[in-house]
Every structure is written in structure tokens, then in C-alpha cells.
Amino acid sequence: MASGDDRLSGWLADYDTSQVTIGVVASHSALQILHGARQEGFRTLGIAVGENRRKMYKAFPGAEPDDWLVLDDYHQMLDEAEWLRTRNTVIVPHGSLVEYLGAENYIDLEVPTFGNRRILKWEASREAQRKWLQMGGCNVPRVITDPHDIAGPVIVKYEGAKGGKGYFVARDYRDFRRNVDVEEEFTIQEYILGTRYYLQFFFDPIPDDGYQVDGIDSNRGKQLGRLELLTIDRRDEANVDEFYKLGSLRDLREMNIEPSFVVTGNVEVVLRESLLPEAFRLGEGAVASSFELEEGARGMIGPFCLECIVTDNLDFSVFEVSARIVAGSNVSVGGSPYMNLNEYDNSVGRRIARCIRKAIEKDQLHAVLS
Ligand code: AMP
């Protein structure tokens, strides 16, 4: 079987790189990906199940795709690979695509995709993420393996839970027993009290200027590449964010209400400038260690997010990593306090499109696709 690199080279050999189409599943962060692609001069393709989406995208003419691929089921994308390749399509992945297809199917999708598709397997497992972050020098919340050892606030997270659904906080074993669903697989993490910041970085392996990540890419025999901070958001979570308005935790328990962590939206935030060096140290560490995740790993390419809590000692704890664009970056369509400090980008979607365009111009498309 062809290795990932051979497979990509074979596809790209048949591509007309002056006619690339950016394809994206019409959900999650697709509006900004399509809008950015159009601004960088690409044709665009929206992929959707059913006709419903098309109408909604008409409401945003700046992002409305030039063409649509309408399917009955997202798995049909796997069968449409040849059709997509004949249109010189590059798929830009996001959380919904990976969720709909599954990380393994996504790896098998026979169409060039932006970024390193193999790395998405690492973000699919909490254990693997933890290893990756620790290798990169990030402080991560302690994991409690035996619920009897709970001695202080913990957060219980179900495996595969989406958007914080079902998570709960426990102070002791009794709390844990009362709330846990033992049928599900879960992780118990130390609850870190502080302020949450979701740092959306971008790693571009091609430029040799800017904030360079220390280290050598042994596959390409060059310095790793440039790290940028594009935006920071914080999630709105129901109902924990508004919990305090009803009284103390004890008052709420008397009303049979537990804090929950379901994402409902996002807001843009900035960090104290004096915390930025540490934010970059964490981003740099996560990129550098991504090249050591497996033999010959191609590492991180493109946008990734470190989900952090900063405590009142100004220490960062990283509780999750996403190896792709996150939906929280939707707050920064039109720019962010960080993107506005460089001249080019007004969204993470546009940054992705510019990365692809520059790679085409330098005949290095293989360096940013997989
Ligand atoms: P996650 O699914 O890991 O992104 O977590 C969902 C939400 O739970 C986060 O956005 C935080 O509000 C909260 N959370 C997750 N892990 C922790 C932690 N270790 N300490 C405190 N809050 C957390």
C-alpha cells in the first residue's frame, strides 16, 4: 500500500494547481473557511447532507460556495473522492467533519486535505492528548484514577462527549457516586480554578521568518517553521457560567441543579501581554512535540488550539488540544486583536487559504497537505 506521502504525491501529480477548489463540510467554521478561500481567489465547494444548508448559506453571500455537493450521508464523501479530485479539491477539515466521518475514515479519504490528517487521531483520545501536551512541556490537570481518591473538586468527563455534554463537578466520592453514569467511560480530572483561554495558534511549516519553533523537521531537513497566535476566545457554557446568580452550590443542590458545561457560544478575549511569552512557550512546545508523536511524524500543520486555564498564580494548565480550526475562532471573522497586528488575515479561514495559496506559489503544496 502507498504511504501517505506517496499517495498525496500521486494525487497532486494530476492536479492543476492554478484551479484549486477549497472544499468544506458546511458546518462548524465553514463560513469563514469559504469566505477566506474566496478572498484568496479560490473556487469554493460546500458539502452538505440534504438541501437545508443551502438556504442558510444564501444569507451570507460573501461565504456562499460556488458549488455544492449534496449527499444523503457524510460517509458518501469517501465514494466521491474521484469526483472531488477531478475538481482539484483540497478539503479543509474541522471538528464536524472529523466527527461525522470518524478519525479513521478521515485518514482514508482519498482527497488531498489541508494539514496533517494523522494528527487528528491524537486529539481523539484524552490519554494521547495528555502525552502529547506533557511531552511539549505543558502543565496538564492531574488525573484521578480511583474515584475513592477524590479529595477536592474534580470534573468528570465522558469519553466521546461532545461540547461538554454530561460533564459534572464532584467534591468527594459521594458526589461522584450520586452523579456518575457507570455505563459510560469517563476521566476524572482535577478541577482547576482560574480563567479559561482558548488559544488559537497557526503553525506554518514554510516561512523561515517570524516566531520560529526551535527544532529541525527530520523529514524535510529544515527548521520547523513559523508559529502565530491568531485569536483567543472563551466559550459560553450553560449553565455553569450563570450558575452563581441562583446562589451557592449548596443552594442549587437543594433545588436539584448541578453545574453543566454545554457550549452555547463564544466570546473573544485577550491575555495580559505579560502572559503572552508563556502562551507562545506552550504553543511552541506543542508543535515541537507533535513531530515526535510517532515515527516519521509530519507534526502539526495549520491551526490548532490549546484550551487553558490561568490560575491566580498566573500558571497555565492545558486541559485539551485541538489539532485543527476550532469553532471558537468564529468570533474573529473580521480580524482579532492579534491578527490585526499582522497585515494580512481577517479570519483563521483566510489564514488557511493564504497558507495554501503561498504553498502553491512556492510549489510546496505537499508541505501543507496530507
Ligand atoms: P473539554 O471538553 O475538555 O473542552 O471541557 C469542557 C469544559 O469543561 C471546558 O470548556 C471548561 O469549562 C471545563 N473544564 C474542562 N476541564 C477542566 C478542568 N480540568 N478544570 C476546570 N474546568 C474544566
Side-chain angles (χ1 to χ4, degrees), residues 290-322:
S290 70
F291 284 83
E292 286 159 26
L293 292 178
E294 50 194 22
E295 178 117 11
R298 288 189 59 203
M300 196 58 244
I301 301 167
F304 67 98
C305 182
L306 297 184
E307 302 185 11
C308 305
I309 297 172
V310 182
T311 68
D312 56 1
N313 288 326
L314 302 181
D315 294 324
F316 282 73
S317 186
V318 187
F319 60 89
E320 194 148 322
V321 53
S322 297

Short mmCIF file of all heavy atoms in Angstrom, two decimals, residues 290-322:
data_model
loop_
_atom_site.label_atom_id
_atom_site.label_comp_id
_atom_site.label_asym_id
_atom_site.label_seq_id
_atom_site.Cartn_x
_atom_site.Cartn_y
_atom_site.Cartn_z
N SER A 290 4.79 17.57 18.55
CA SER A 290 3.94 16.90 17.56
C SER A 290 4.78 16.16 16.51
O SER A 290 4.29 15.24 15.86
CB SER A 290 3.00 17.90 16.88
OG SER A 290 3.72 18.78 16.03
N PHE A 291 6.04 16.54 16.37
CA PHE A 291 6.91 15.85 15.41
C PHE A 291 7.47 14.55 15.99
O PHE A 291 8.15 13.81 15.30
CB PHE A 291 8.06 16.77 14.97
CG PHE A 291 7.61 17.82 13.98
CD1 PHE A 291 7.01 18.99 14.41
CD2 PHE A 291 7.73 17.60 12.61
CE1 PHE A 291 6.56 19.94 13.51
CE2 PHE A 291 7.28 18.54 11.70
CZ PHE A 291 6.70 19.72 12.14
N GLU A 292 7.22 14.35 17.30
CA GLU A 292 7.75 13.14 17.93
C GLU A 292 6.65 12.17 18.32
O GLU A 292 6.88 11.21 19.05
CB GLU A 292 8.54 13.54 19.19
CG GLU A 292 9.87 14.18 18.82
CD GLU A 292 10.43 15.03 19.94
OE1 GLU A 292 10.10 14.76 21.11
OE2 GLU A 292 11.17 15.98 19.62
N LEU A 293 5.42 12.41 17.84
CA LEU A 293 4.31 11.58 18.28
C LEU A 293 4.42 10.16 17.74
O LEU A 293 3.98 9.21 18.38
CB LEU A 293 2.98 12.19 17.83
CG LEU A 293 2.62 13.51 18.53
CD1 LEU A 293 1.32 14.07 18.00
CD2 LEU A 293 2.51 13.31 20.04
N GLU A 294 4.94 10.03 16.55
CA GLU A 294 5.15 8.68 16.01
C GLU A 294 6.31 8.76 15.04
O GLU A 294 6.73 9.84 14.63
CB GLU A 294 3.87 8.14 15.35
CG GLU A 294 3.23 9.08 14.37
CD GLU A 294 1.80 8.67 13.99
OE1 GLU A 294 1.15 7.94 14.75
OE2 GLU A 294 1.36 9.09 12.92
N GLU A 295 6.81 7.60 14.67
CA GLU A 295 7.96 7.54 13.77
C GLU A 295 7.67 8.30 12.46
O GLU A 295 6.62 8.09 11.83
CB GLU A 295 8.21 6.05 13.45
CG GLU A 295 9.33 5.85 12.50
CD GLU A 295 10.47 5.06 13.13
OE1 GLU A 295 10.29 4.51 14.22
OE2 GLU A 295 11.51 5.02 12.47
N GLY A 296 8.56 9.20 12.11
CA GLY A 296 8.40 9.95 10.85
C GLY A 296 7.22 10.91 10.85
O GLY A 296 6.77 11.33 9.79
N ALA A 297 6.71 11.27 12.06
CA ALA A 297 5.51 12.12 12.14
C ALA A 297 5.73 13.43 11.40
O ALA A 297 6.81 14.02 11.46
CB ALA A 297 5.16 12.40 13.60
N ARG A 298 4.68 13.88 10.70
CA ARG A 298 4.79 15.16 9.97
C ARG A 298 4.44 16.34 10.87
O ARG A 298 4.58 17.49 10.46
CB ARG A 298 3.87 15.15 8.75
CG ARG A 298 4.39 14.23 7.67
CD ARG A 298 3.60 14.40 6.40
NE ARG A 298 3.65 15.78 5.92
CZ ARG A 298 2.74 16.33 5.11
NH1 ARG A 298 1.72 15.62 4.72
NH2 ARG A 298 2.87 17.57 4.69
N GLY A 299 3.98 16.06 12.06
CA GLY A 299 3.73 17.12 13.03
C GLY A 299 2.52 17.97 12.70
O GLY A 299 1.73 17.67 11.81
N MET A 300 2.41 19.04 13.47
CA MET A 300 1.27 19.96 13.36
C MET A 300 1.44 20.79 12.09
O MET A 300 2.54 21.22 11.77
CB MET A 300 1.35 20.84 14.61
CG MET A 300 0.15 21.62 14.98
SD MET A 300 -1.28 20.59 15.22
CE MET A 300 -2.27 21.23 13.89
N ILE A 301 0.33 21.03 11.39
CA ILE A 301 0.34 21.95 10.24
C ILE A 301 -0.97 22.74 10.31
O ILE A 301 -2.03 22.14 10.42
CB ILE A 301 0.37 21.19 8.88
CG1 ILE A 301 1.60 20.29 8.78
CG2 ILE A 301 0.31 22.18 7.71
CD1 ILE A 301 1.54 19.28 7.61
N GLY A 302 -0.87 24.07 10.29
CA GLY A 302 -2.10 24.88 10.26
C GLY A 302 -2.59 25.24 11.65
O GLY A 302 -1.81 25.30 12.62
N PRO A 303 -3.92 25.49 11.79
CA PRO A 303 -4.44 25.97 13.06
C PRO A 303 -4.54 24.86 14.11
O PRO A 303 -4.83 23.72 13.78
CB PRO A 303 -5.84 26.47 12.71
CG PRO A 303 -6.22 25.79 11.45
CD PRO A 303 -4.97 25.36 10.75
N PHE A 304 -4.28 25.22 15.35
CA PHE A 304 -4.51 24.29 16.48
C PHE A 304 -4.85 25.12 17.70
O PHE A 304 -4.51 26.31 17.76
CB PHE A 304 -3.31 23.37 16.72
CG PHE A 304 -2.07 24.06 17.22
CD1 PHE A 304 -1.75 24.07 18.58
CD2 PHE A 304 -1.21 24.71 16.34
CE1 PHE A 304 -0.60 24.70 19.05
CE2 PHE A 304 -0.07 25.35 16.80
CZ PHE A 304 0.25 25.35 18.14
N CYS A 305 -5.50 24.50 18.65
CA CYS A 305 -5.98 25.25 19.81
C CYS A 305 -5.52 24.60 21.11
O CYS A 305 -5.66 23.39 21.28
CB CYS A 305 -7.51 25.31 19.77
SG CYS A 305 -8.22 26.26 21.12
N LEU A 306 -4.98 25.41 22.01
CA LEU A 306 -4.69 24.94 23.37
C LEU A 306 -5.75 25.54 24.29
O LEU A 306 -5.92 26.76 24.35
CB LEU A 306 -3.30 25.39 23.82
CG LEU A 306 -2.11 24.86 23.02
CD1 LEU A 306 -0.80 25.31 23.66
CD2 LEU A 306 -2.15 23.34 22.90
N GLU A 307 -6.47 24.65 24.96
CA GLU A 307 -7.52 25.09 25.88
C GLU A 307 -6.91 25.18 27.26
O GLU A 307 -6.48 24.17 27.82
CB GLU A 307 -8.68 24.10 25.84
CG GLU A 307 -9.24 23.95 24.44
CD GLU A 307 -10.47 23.06 24.38
OE1 GLU A 307 -11.03 22.70 25.43
OE2 GLU A 307 -10.87 22.72 23.25
N CYS A 308 -6.83 26.40 27.79
CA CYS A 308 -6.04 26.64 29.01
C CYS A 308 -6.88 27.25 30.11
O CYS A 308 -7.87 27.93 29.85
CB CYS A 308 -4.94 27.65 28.72
SG CYS A 308 -3.87 27.21 27.37
N ILE A 309 -6.42 27.01 31.34
CA ILE A 309 -6.94 27.76 32.48
C ILE A 309 -5.74 28.46 33.12
O ILE A 309 -4.69 27.83 33.33
CB ILE A 309 -7.62 26.82 33.49
CG1 ILE A 309 -8.81 26.15 32.82
CG2 ILE A 309 -8.07 27.60 34.73
CD1 ILE A 309 -9.46 25.06 33.63
N VAL A 310 -5.88 29.75 33.37
CA VAL A 310 -4.81 30.50 34.04
C VAL A 310 -5.25 30.74 35.48
O VAL A 310 -6.35 31.28 35.71
CB VAL A 310 -4.52 31.84 33.32
CG1 VAL A 310 -3.38 32.58 34.02
CG2 VAL A 310 -4.17 31.60 31.85
N THR A 311 -4.44 30.32 36.43
CA THR A 311 -4.83 30.43 37.84
C THR A 311 -4.42 31.81 38.39
O THR A 311 -3.74 32.58 37.72
CB THR A 311 -4.12 29.35 38.69
OG1 THR A 311 -2.73 29.67 38.71
CG2 THR A 311 -4.33 27.96 38.11
N ASP A 312 -4.80 32.06 39.64
CA ASP A 312 -4.43 33.35 40.22
C ASP A 312 -2.94 33.44 40.58
O ASP A 312 -2.46 34.49 40.98
CB ASP A 312 -5.34 33.71 41.41
CG ASP A 312 -5.35 32.65 42.48
OD1 ASP A 312 -4.63 31.63 42.33
OD2 ASP A 312 -6.09 32.81 43.47
N ASN A 313 -2.21 32.33 40.42
CA ASN A 313 -0.74 32.41 40.49
C ASN A 313 -0.14 32.68 39.11
O ASN A 313 1.07 32.59 38.93
CB ASN A 313 -0.14 31.08 40.98
CG ASN A 313 -0.41 30.88 42.44
OD1 ASN A 313 -0.43 31.86 43.20
ND2 ASN A 313 -0.62 29.64 42.84
N LEU A 314 -1.01 32.88 38.12
CA LEU A 314 -0.61 33.11 36.72
C LEU A 314 0.06 31.88 36.11
O LEU A 314 0.92 31.99 35.23
CB LEU A 314 0.27 34.36 36.59
CG LEU A 314 -0.38 35.65 37.10
CD1 LEU A 314 0.55 36.84 36.89
CD2 LEU A 314 -1.71 35.92 36.40
N ASP A 315 -0.32 30.70 36.60
CA ASP A 315 0.15 29.45 35.99
C ASP A 315 -0.88 28.97 34.97
O ASP A 315 -2.09 29.07 35.21
CB ASP A 315 0.29 28.35 37.05
CG ASP A 315 1.39 28.69 38.03
OD1 ASP A 315 2.40 29.28 37.60
OD2 ASP A 315 1.22 28.39 39.23
N PHE A 316 -0.39 28.43 33.85
CA PHE A 316 -1.28 27.87 32.83
C PHE A 316 -1.43 26.37 33.05
O PHE A 316 -0.46 25.68 33.31
CB PHE A 316 -0.67 28.02 31.42
CG PHE A 316 -0.79 29.39 30.82
CD1 PHE A 316 -0.01 30.43 31.29
CD2 PHE A 316 -1.65 29.62 29.76
CE1 PHE A 316 -0.09 31.69 30.71
CE2 PHE A 316 -1.73 30.87 29.18
CZ PHE A 316 -0.95 31.91 29.66
N SER A 317 -2.66 25.89 32.91
CA SER A 317 -2.89 24.46 32.85
C SER A 317 -3.62 24.20 31.53
O SER A 317 -4.61 24.87 31.22
CB SER A 317 -3.77 24.07 34.05
OG SER A 317 -3.89 22.70 34.12
N VAL A 318 -3.12 23.26 30.73
CA VAL A 318 -3.74 22.99 29.42
C VAL A 318 -4.59 21.74 29.56
O VAL A 318 -4.08 20.66 29.82
CB VAL A 318 -2.67 22.78 28.33
CG1 VAL A 318 -3.33 22.68 26.96
CG2 VAL A 318 -1.64 23.92 28.33
N PHE A 319 -5.92 21.89 29.42
CA PHE A 319 -6.77 20.71 29.65
C PHE A 319 -7.18 20.02 28.36
O PHE A 319 -7.74 18.93 28.40
CB PHE A 319 -7.99 21.05 30.52
CG PHE A 319 -8.91 22.09 29.96
CD1 PHE A 319 -9.97 21.72 29.14
CD2 PHE A 319 -8.74 23.42 30.25
CE1 PHE A 319 -10.83 22.67 28.62
CE2 PHE A 319 -9.60 24.38 29.73
CZ PHE A 319 -10.64 24.01 28.91
N GLU A 320 -6.90 20.62 27.21
CA GLU A 320 -7.25 19.95 25.95
C GLU A 320 -6.51 20.59 24.79
O GLU A 320 -6.17 21.77 24.84
CB GLU A 320 -8.77 20.06 25.73
CG GLU A 320 -9.26 19.14 24.65
CD GLU A 320 -10.69 18.64 24.90
OE1 GLU A 320 -11.06 18.36 26.05
OE2 GLU A 320 -11.41 18.51 23.91
N VAL A 321 -6.28 19.80 23.72
CA VAL A 321 -5.68 20.34 22.50
C VAL A 321 -6.55 19.92 21.32
O VAL A 321 -7.03 18.79 21.27
CB VAL A 321 -4.21 19.88 22.34
CG1 VAL A 321 -4.03 18.38 22.43
CG2 VAL A 321 -3.59 20.36 21.01
N SER A 322 -6.77 20.83 20.38
CA SER A 322 -7.46 20.51 19.12
C SER A 322 -6.47 20.75 17.99
O SER A 322 -5.88 21.83 17.92
CB SER A 322 -8.67 21.41 18.90
OG SER A 322 -9.61 21.20 19.91
#
